Amino acid sequence: MKNSSNITTIKLDRETKSRLDKLKVHPKESYDEILQKILYILNLCKSGSSEARARLLAIDKAKLLNMKKTN
């Protein structure tokens, strides 16, 4: 857990929040974790799109596995 002095609040449009919610691999995943994944993938896109695509596919696979576990 991060130090609470390093935490901030940001405003998001409801549509943006909804889009972030759809990227969660598990329900307790934080928005910070989601945004860090997005930024990581964007950085991968700069150096090689195949690596970024592989990372996105891995996230989708993990999300599907977690959905199956909860159903």
Side-chain angles (χ1 to χ4, degrees):
M1 179 112 185
K2 294 188 178 188
N3 184 334
S4 62
S5 65
N6 291 332
I7 295 176
T8 185
T9 302
I10 60 172
K11 292 184 181 185
L12 297 174
D13 184 82
R14 289 189 189 277
E15 181 181 344
T16 303
K17 181 189 175 296
S18 176
R19 291 176 70 189
L20 288 171
D21 287 336
K22 291 176 185 175
L23 294 173
K24 287 185 174 188
V25 172
H26 52 83
K28 292 187 178 187
E29 189 171 21
S30 72
Y31 293 113
D32 184 65
E33 291 170 307
I34 296 167
L35 290 170
Q36 285 185 33
K37 281 195 281 188
I38 291 169
L39 294 171
Y40 175 75
I41 292 167
L42 284 173
N43 285 330
L44 285 177
C45 287
K46 290 179 185 177
S47 61
S49 62
S50 62
E51 194 176 344
R53 181 164 173 71
R55 179 67 179 151
L56 287 171
L57 291 173
I59 290 168
D60 283 344
K61 185 177 179 179
K63 186 175 177 178
L64 285 173
L65 289 173
N66 280 333
M67 286 174 56
K68 287 180 181 179
K69 287 179 184 177
T70 58
N71 290 332

